[in-house]
Amino acid sequence: MKKQLLSFFVLCLLSIGIASAQNRTVTGNVTASAERSPLSGVSVTIVGTSSGTQTDDLGNYSISVPANATLRFSYVGFNSKNVVVGTQSTINVGLDNESSLDEVVVVGYGTQLKRNLTTSISTVGAAELKDIPVPNIQQVLQGKTAGVMVTSGGGRPGAPLAVQIRGRSSINAGNNPLYVIDGVIMASNNDFTPNAVGAGISPLANLNSEDIVSVEVLKDAAAASIYGSRGSNGVVIITTKGGNKSGKSQIAASTYTGWQSLTKKRDLLNSTEYRTLYNEAATNAGLAPVFTQDQVANPENNVNWLDEILADESNVTSAQVSVTSGGNENTQFYTSFNYFNQDGMLQRGGFERYAVRANLTHRINDFITLGSNTALTRSMRDETPVDNSIFSPFPRALVARPDQPIYNADGTFATNSYNNPLHMFQSQNFVNLANVFNSSYLQFDIVSGLKFKTAVGIDYSFLDQRIYNPITSLSGMGSNGSAASGTAQTRNFLATQTLSYDKSFYDNRLDLNAIAVYEYQRNQRENNRVDGNNFPSDLTPYLTSAAAITGGTANFTEFSLASALARVNLGWDGKYLFSASIRRDGSSKFPESGRFGYFPSVSAGWVMSEENFLKNVDAISLLKVRASYGSTGNQEGIGNFAFRRTIGGGFNYFDLPGFGLSAIGSPNLKWETTNQVDVGIDLGLFNNRLEIAADYYNKTTKDLLLNRPIPSTTGFSTILENIGNIKGSGFDFQVTSRNFRNADFTWSTSLNISTYRNEVTKLFNDQPIDQGFVVRHAVGQPLGSFFLIKSLGVDPETGDMMYEDFDGSGTITSADRQFMGNPLPKFHGGFTNNFSYKNFDLDVFFQYSYGNDIYNLGAEGTGGYGSMGAVVSGTAPATNMFRDYYLDRWTPENTNAEQPRAVGGVRGTFNSQRSSRFLEDGSYLRLKTLTLGYNLPKSLIQNARFTNVRIYASAYNLLTFTKYTGFDPEVSSELTVSNLGVDQGSIPQFRTFMLGINLGL
């Protein structure tokens, strides 16, 4: 036994010695190629293992490697490099500056090197999407890339947003871009609720931003025309994460929690000030004071309604765990689980989401590869109450009388002249959304360079909504409680067949990439709704307890799209580039005569830096000029059967059921079409330390889908036809600079700026179209222009408003309205500075907009003296006022005031009429994000088997610099062209402070 143990011990020693003998030490130095300066902290790892080291302050390293090893050198801001060790014992490496020009960019139905692009495409990477406390990926895009502008409908968590790529090109049809997630074209009709209550739900609110690896924005028509009929507003391609081939699996976990507050608060009048104001208004109108001096000095109540409706505490929390397979050449996967919860700023409201994702790629053999991306999400929204109306609690709190109580003596809610804002929170509106997404494919490698890919995608959403207005609530007291319940389903199917060929010829001088695609999409939507009232108790808030079922609806609709497309990309010697594509779309939304549309594009590029006369100019790393022309279409925003003359049920003929004509139909409908020309330049200087991309574009949209007035004798007031044109142009400019880098400190900057102007060039008989509150579309004017009476300020002699008599009639009427501005900024964008010092990192991101106008509709009621014209009796009619308006009103002692005198009667109504008085400069500069992080030293975490641990503190919407007097210059109460730039008093966006941690295993 002793001999056996001794033999075993000797064998172990020999094994260790043999293993040690097989390993050997490799040393070397790592420098930056351009500066030839040493790089400290470079990660040096053995590919396929977890073994590695880092370079010291002088860039030196030493590592023990086995036979046949490959070393990988990686460092932030530089391109990674793999080196086969072979027989070398000393390996010195120079790393090149990382350049976005060498990135692989996702384009429609394929990928390209950014260096080889001939079209205008911007990319937002995963690093720019992380640690932002918002549920919607669209919000993260604001200010990140040139040509993209995002407008929020309010601070309600999960609310939809308006995204504009190079401005707006339509009036009635959609203006939002097309979204493509993992190859699946998303439908635009899943942002609704079955009861038409609320501002809708963003179709991307269920997408977890931490699962995204990149977002590509296709801006010019040559890039977007590959998506044909739906690319006129640009295309956003979202790619989610997958596994890797490193051989090592990775686990990542992250969490953050934050505290939220309003980005801005304003002081309202207290009861004494309020009563003083209305006494003054009555006196100036020749009436007796409304309140006695004792009532003014000693009011029974003094309520700050804004403070009352705000939540005592508002938080945001997120947690994410993901596993990325190291896999091998054949199999890679990525899985994740995410939880997100964001409170609203009011007593009610919030958004909660659970998301699970599994992405898999497997190469079955040398011939077949399969892939499948699946995501399951469930979100819950407390939609009580909505904030996109002047009749919701937030704007009501701004006008409610401070001298009226919240509760009666018996504890019930008191009645307020403008509704009791707290009483509104009695109503319930819960919206739950479940979503199943899958994108799967099989790819066949037929011969070298020739591939066939068949893919299917499904996006299924099921939404259920439940509303209950209690017996004692404002909405339910008249019907002894009321309720509504409904469901909505959308089913979006996509099948895509792609044949691609990628090959180089003539000693790799000619590069050819060609694709041919056939695609079919079907979208179905159905919803159901039931209403009831007269409930026995609020303890049973479901429809089964309603004594009366008062109504109900159910409907189903669908559309389909069949498409064929082809594209070819050519490159010669890496310096002459050419691309052309054409797509043919057939949509069931149009009649046979206009059903099919053809959308061609052509683009070319010249890489001048590869020419002999520039090739040896060290300062120029890349100089490429490019130009493109393309045609895209638009079919969004119109009904699925708008061209058909349809009949519908629900008509009552002397208590007998019947059918009636429900739509007049438009048999000559066809696509809206946008043609766009783009000229651009890409420039890389000083080994790509400075990168510049600049574009000028000009686009024309023709055959606008508009409603034309028709005689009411037809039974209808309008008919949908193609009857208008719009033209637009602008510049996009983006700069990335790697300002400074040494062993300890790095600093980089990114800046983008965009301009856009448009003009309506044709309407039906050139008749203007009035929409919304203050908007008019007219030939020769920008789309969505504000049409108002011009205010000339306050008359210092009388204290009344002065207006321009535009028509010269001698009186001020609606005929004196004129064009006074528009919601389009003169320019907008963002700029980012990223700093790192040793283990610390600091990111500072500013976003800005300049030259846009906002119509402050909320100011008409709050500060607009909107109700003073009704001061004719012994009670004050209502509206409270912002204190700064009150202090700056005209009085005999303050004749140089910005605000008119307080006066009731006819003069009060005259002073508060809709005019440019409420049109304000919406320019702003906002410190959007400020993040300070610290990476724990490897020596502290390696024993715990962590690969990285980063802790950070971040602030979101930290500071805003603006002259706009409303709550938030970044908010528009409605996202349609008819009311864009109109602020009805929506909840502003949140200011958030948060702490977080990122872990890697």
Side-chain angles (χ1 to χ4, degrees):
M1 184 65 180
K2 290 182 179 180
K3 290 183 179 180
Q4 291 174 333
L5 289 174
L6 181 60
S7 299
F8 178 74
F9 180 69
V10 171
L11 183 60
C12 289
L13 290 176
L14 288 173
S15 300
I16 294 173
I18 292 171
S20 300
Q22 290 175 337
N23 282 4
R24 57 194 176 84
T25 299
V26 174
T27 61
N29 182 264
V30 182
T31 59
S33 296
E35 302 91 345
R36 292 185 171 84
S37 58
L39 292 177
S40 171
V42 175
S43 174
V44 184
T45 58
I46 302 172
V47 175
T49 75
S50 59
S51 300
T53 186
Q54 286 187 334
T55 58
D56 60 19
D57 292 343
L58 298 177
N60 297 319
Y61 72 93
S62 176
I63 187 171
S64 178
V65 300
N68 302 319
T70 298
L71 292 180
R72 181 174 181 81
F73 299 84
S74 56
Y75 190 61
V76 175
F78 290 82
N79 293 320
S80 298
K81 181 176 290 187
N82 286 3
V83 178
V84 177
V85 175
T87 60
Q88 302 175 85
S89 59
T90 300
I91 300 177
N92 296 322
V93 174
L95 296 183
D96 296 325
N97 285 311
E98 189 176 61
S99 170
S100 65
L101 300 173
D102 294 320
E103 294 174 356
V104 175
V105 176
V106 178
V107 297
Y109 306 95
T111 60
Q112 276 186 275
L113 278 176
K114 189 173 182 179
R115 179 182 294 270
N116 295 335
L117 288 177
T118 55
T119 57
S120 182
I121 298 177
S122 294
T123 300
V124 180
E128 299 175 86
L129 304 175
K130 66 179 183 178
D131 304 333
I132 306 296
V134 293
N136 199 323
I137 184 63
Q138 294 161 301
Q139 289 172 271
V140 185
L141 296 179
Q142 177 71 306
K144 293 290 187 180
T145 184
V148 179
M149 185 172 183
V150 182
T151 304
S152 171
R156 184 169 51 90
L161 301 99
V163 177
Q164 302 172 50
I165 298 177
R166 292 185 168 180
R168 291 175 175 251
S169 304
S170 182
I171 297 177
N172 276 6
N175 276 290
N176 279 329
L178 180 70
Y179 292 97
V180 181
I181 302 177
D182 289 339
V184 178
I185 298 173
M186 307 298 290
S188 62
N189 64 353
N190 57 346
D191 57 346
F192 71 102
T193 52
N195 297 312
V197 176
I201 292 177
S202 168
L204 298 184
N206 273 9
L207 180 62
N208 173 25
S209 62
E210 294 197 49
D211 286 337
I212 296 173
V213 67
S214 70
V215 178
E216 269 78 22
V217 182
L218 280 55
K219 295 185 290 187
D220 67 348
S225 64
I226 198 70
Y227 290 101
S229 62
R230 290 161 297 177
S232 63
N233 302 311
V235 181
V236 178
I237 301 178
I238 299 173
T239 305
T240 60
K241 295 177 181 178
N244 60 70
K245 300 178 181 180
S246 67
K248 179 186 176 183
S249 295
Q250 299 171 337
I251 299 175
S254 62
T255 184
Y256 63 76
T257 185
W259 303 266
Q260 303 175 144
S261 62
L262 294 181
T263 50
K264 182 178 181 179
K265 288 186 67 175
R266 300 188 67 184
D267 292 331
L268 296 164
L269 300 186
N270 60 36
S271 294
T272 295
E273 294 166 329
Y274 172 83
R275 290 182 171 183
T276 299
L277 177 73
Y278 278 99
N279 272 355
E280 187 178 311
T283 301
N284 286 337
L287 304 172
V290 178
F291 302 101
T292 67
Q293 287 303 310
D294 182 63
Q295 289 174 322
V296 171
N298 302 292
E300 301 83 357
N301 303 284
N302 189 22
V303 180
N304 187 320
W305 290 100
L306 183 58
D307 286 344
E308 293 293 335
I309 68 167
L310 294 178
D312 296 329
E313 185 176 295
S314 182
N315 302 316
V316 60
T317 301
S318 177
Q320 165 101 358
V321 177
S322 65
V323 179
T324 304
S325 77
N328 50 45
E329 290 294 326
N330 292 328
T331 305
Q332 302 88 43
F333 69 85
Y334 169 86
T335 61
S336 71
F337 170 79
N338 176 268
Y339 172 75
F340 181 88
N341 190 351
Q342 185 175 27
D343 299 330
M345 285 306 306
L346 305 186
Q347 294 285 353
R348 297 286 300 272
F351 179 87
E352 186 177 22
R353 180 188 65 207
Y354 298 87
V356 178
R357 174 172 289 275
N359 293 351
L360 171 70
T361 302
H362 178 65
R363 187 170 182 83
I364 299 174
N365 51 43
D366 292 339
F367 179 58
I368 303 174
T369 302
L370 65 84
S372 181
N373 293 357
T374 302
L376 307 175
T377 56
R378 173 73 169 173
S379 64
M380 290 74 70
R381 282 252 305 271
D382 182 354
E383 192 70 23
T384 307
V386 298
D387 72 317
N388 63 326
S389 166
I390 58 175
F391 301 106
S392 56
F394 188 77
R396 291 296 88 180
L398 304 180
V399 299
R401 292 177 54 173
D403 61 340
Q404 291 184 330
I406 300 173
Y407 302 102
N408 296 314
D410 60 1
T412 59
F413 283 102
T415 301
N416 188 290
S417 298
Y418 260 44
N419 297 332
N420 185 324
L422 276 179
H423 199 180
M424 293 181 175
F425 289 110
Q426 293 290 111
S427 295
Q428 303 170 7
N429 183 4
F430 298 106
V431 180
N432 301 319
L433 178 64
N435 179 264
V436 178
F437 173 90
N438 178 264
S439 172
S440 298
Y441 71 88
L442 276 175
Q443 179 174 289
F444 302 88
D445 296 343
I446 302 172
V447 295
S448 177
L450 182 64
K451 299 177 181 179
F452 174 73
K453 182 178 181 180
T454 178
V456 294
I458 181 171
D459 179 42
Y460 171 77
S461 296
F462 181 85
L463 183 148
D464 63 271
Q465 182 178 21
R466 181 174 63 85
I467 296 173
Y468 181 67
N469 301 305
I471 297 169
T472 58
S473 69
L474 283 172
S475 301
M477 60 174 56
S479 56
N480 202 45
S482 63
S485 182
T487 62
Q489 297 183 62
T490 61
R491 295 179 289 272
N492 183 41
F493 305 95
L494 182 73
T496 306
Q497 319 301 320
T498 305
L499 184 67
S500 64
Y501 185 67
D502 197 338
K503 195 75 173 177
S504 296
F505 302 92
Y506 303 109
D507 297 325
N508 296 322
R509 298 189 69 187
L510 174 65
D511 296 320
L512 167 66
N513 172 265
I515 63 167
V517 179
Y518 177 78
E519 191 166 67
Y520 177 78
Q521 183 174 16
R522 169 170 288 186
N523 181 270
Q524 299 174 330
R525 183 182 71 191
E526 60 180 297
N527 60 51
N528 302 276
R529 172 182 172 177
V530 179
D531 300 275
N533 62 26
N534 198 3
F535 284 76
S537 169
D538 289 335
L539 297 176
T540 55
Y542 293 90
L543 274 172
T544 53
S545 299
I549 299 299
T550 57
T553 61
N555 60 65
F556 172 88
T557 185
E558 67 176 347
F559 73 88
S560 58
L561 195 72
S563 310
L565 62 104
R567 179 181 63 208
V568 60
N569 297 324
L570 295 171
W572 178 260
D573 267 353
K575 51 187 175 183
Y576 308 116
L577 309 171
F578 175 81
S579 180
S581 71
I582 187 168
R583 178 165 179 143
R584 178 181 187 263
D585 279 331
S587 173
S588 64
K589 290 187 176 185
F590 296 99
E592 289 188 12
S593 60
R595 178 160 297 169
F596 293 94
Y598 293 85
F599 307 98
S601 77
V602 61
S603 60
W606 178 23
V607 185
M608 299 175 65
S609 54
E610 291 297 314
E611 298 289 355
N612 291 333
F613 58 85
L614 283 178
K615 202 166 188 178
N616 295 321
V617 178
D618 293 337
I620 299 177
S621 311
L622 175 74
L623 175 58
K624 178 177 66 175
V625 293
R626 47 186 166 76
S628 68
Y629 170 84
S631 178
T632 51
N634 196 347
Q635 63 163 359
E636 306 301 330
I638 66 172
N640 291 341
F641 308 103
F643 73 93
R644 295 181 183 274
R645 179 171 296 183
T646 59
I647 60 173
F651 292 87
N652 186 318
Y653 298 95
F654 300 104
D655 295 329
L656 295 175
F659 292 98
L661 190 64
S662 58
I664 192 171
S666 185
N668 298 315
L669 281 184
K670 57 184 178 180
W671 308 88
E672 279 190 2
T673 302
T674 298
N675 300 317
Q676 183 175 169
V677 174
D678 184 283
V679 179
I681 183 172
D682 295 320
L683 178 64
L685 299 173
F686 315 118
N687 198 24
N688 291 317
R689 290 189 62 172
L690 180 64
E691 296 178 8
I692 300 171
D695 287 84
Y696 169 77
Y697 61 92
N698 188 297
K699 61 181 182 178
T700 301
T701 302
K702 63 179 183 179
D703 300 324
L704 292 177
L705 292 163
L706 292 174
N707 288 309
R708 176 176 65 84
I710 57 176
S712 58
T713 53
T714 62
F716 300 89
S717 59
T718 60
I719 184 172
L720 185 66
E721 292 183 345
N722 298 94
I723 48 174
N725 295 343
I726 296 173
K727 67 178 181 179
S729 62
F731 288 91
D732 293 342
F733 186 74
Q734 190 141 351
V735 179
T736 301
S737 173
R738 297 163 183 87
N739 307 315
F740 187 84
R741 179 184 288 113
N742 63 20
D744 293 328
F745 179 72
T746 64
W747 170 30
S748 63
T749 300
S750 178
L751 165 71
N752 69 81
I753 184 171
S754 303
T755 70
Y756 175 69
R757 293 287 178 274
N758 67 19
E759 179 184 327
V760 179
T761 58
K762 179 183 176 183
L763 292 173
F764 176 70
N765 289 338
D766 286 346
Q767 296 177 354
I769 300 173
D770 289 335
Q771 287 189 326
F773 296 100
V774 292
V775 169
R776 168 169 283 191
H777 311 297
V779 172
Q781 296 294 328
L783 188 64
S785 293
F786 295 120
F787 194 60
L788 298 160
I789 296 172
K790 184 177 182 179
S791 169
L792 300 178
V794 177
D795 187 340
E797 299 295 327
T798 65
D800 290 331
M801 292 298 301
M802 298 184 295
Y803 303 107
E804 183 177 299
D805 184 14
F806 190 63
D807 68 348
S809 65
T811 58
I812 301 301
T813 66
S814 61
D816 292 307
R817 292 179 298 167
Q818 55 185 293
F819 291 102
M820 294 297 298
N822 66 82
L824 293 177
K826 293 179 180 178
F827 58 84
H828 64 91
F831 58 94
T832 304
N833 279 284
N834 305 111
F835 306 90
S836 68
Y837 177 71
K838 294 187 176 180
N839 288 4
F840 289 93
D841 58 84
L842 176 66
D843 297 333
V844 184
F845 170 50
F846 282 91
Q847 169 202 330
Y848 62 89
S849 177
Y850 176 79
N852 59 297
D853 297 310
I854 299 176
Y855 189 79
N856 193 349
L857 186 67
E860 287 187 12
T862 307
Y865 302 86
S867 62
M868 286 188 178
V871 181
V872 293
S873 62
T875 59
T879 65
N880 201 352
M881 187 175 298
F882 294 127
R883 181 171 283 115
D884 54 342
Y885 290 178
Y886 169 80
L887 295 175
D888 197 27
R889 75 192 187 284
W890 185 96
T891 64
E893 298 76 31
N894 183 29
T895 59
N896 191 29
E898 290 288 333
Q899 304 298 331
R901 63 174 176 153
V903 59
V906 174
R907 297 312 298 176
T909 303
F910 178 84
N911 286 342
S912 61
Q913 63 184 304
R914 198 157 285 169
S915 70
S916 63
R917 175 189 169 194
F918 307 111
L919 188 65
E920 302 185 38
D921 181 6
S923 304
Y924 68 88
L925 172 66
R926 172 165 279 172
L927 178 51
K928 197 70 175 181
T929 57
L930 176 66
T931 302
L932 176 64
Y934 178 71
N935 290 280
L936 271 62
K938 299 287 186 182
S939 58
L940 293 180
I941 63 175
Q942 60 187 6
N943 290 335
R945 298 186 181 277
F946 288 111
T947 57
N948 69 280
V949 176
R950 177 177 177 267
I951 56 176
Y952 64 92
S954 183
Y956 184 70
N957 287 331
L958 182 60
L959 297 172
T960 304
F961 306 93
T962 182
K963 293 181 180 179
Y964 179 59
T965 63
F967 280 87
D968 191 347
E970 204 177 343
V971 164
S972 178
S973 296
E974 292 189 23
L975 304 178
T976 60
V977 174
S978 61
N979 267 330
L980 189 69
V982 177
D983 183 359
Q984 299 184 41
S986 291
I987 302 171
Q989 296 188 74
F990 306 153
R991 177 185 294 114
T992 306
F993 298 93
M994 65 183 193
L995 298 173
I997 184 170
N998 300 324
L999 305 173
L1001 288 169

